[in-house]
Amino acid sequence: MSHLVTDHALINNNRIAHGTYGAGEPVVLIHGTPSSSFIWRDVLPELVNAGYKFMCMTC
């Protein structure tokens, strides 16, 4: 998976990139600096297969 963030939102003139996958109880993962949501690429399939709704963002 090359891109985890597939959508964008503009909040107070700041672009927030985000992605949502799966269904079920939500899990939000937020990366630290200087990183991106790409660090969750190996976690994503595990959470979705376990029945969670995975949400990540990159600011």
Side-chain angles (χ1 to χ4, degrees), residues 8-30:
H8 297 89
L10 188 60
I11 302 171
N12 294 329
N13 291 321
N14 295 301
R15 185 181 68 94
I16 308 295
H18 60 92
T20 304
Y21 302 89
E25 193 72 27
V27 174
V28 178
L29 299 177
I30 302 172

Side-chain angles (χ1 to χ4, degrees), residues 9-58:
L10 188 60
I11 302 171
N12 294 329
N13 291 321
N14 295 301
R15 185 181 68 94
I16 308 295
H18 60 92
T20 304
Y21 302 89
E25 193 72 27
V27 174
V28 178
L29 299 177
I30 302 172
H31 65 83
T33 302
S35 189
S36 75
S37 59
F38 190 65
I39 64 172
W40 306 120
R41 68 189 176 277
D42 296 326
V43 177
L44 166 62
E46 299 295 328
L47 288 173
V48 170
N49 289 336
Y52 291 100
K53 182 177 185 177
F54 173 90
M55 294 176 272
C56 62
M57 63 191 81
T58 297

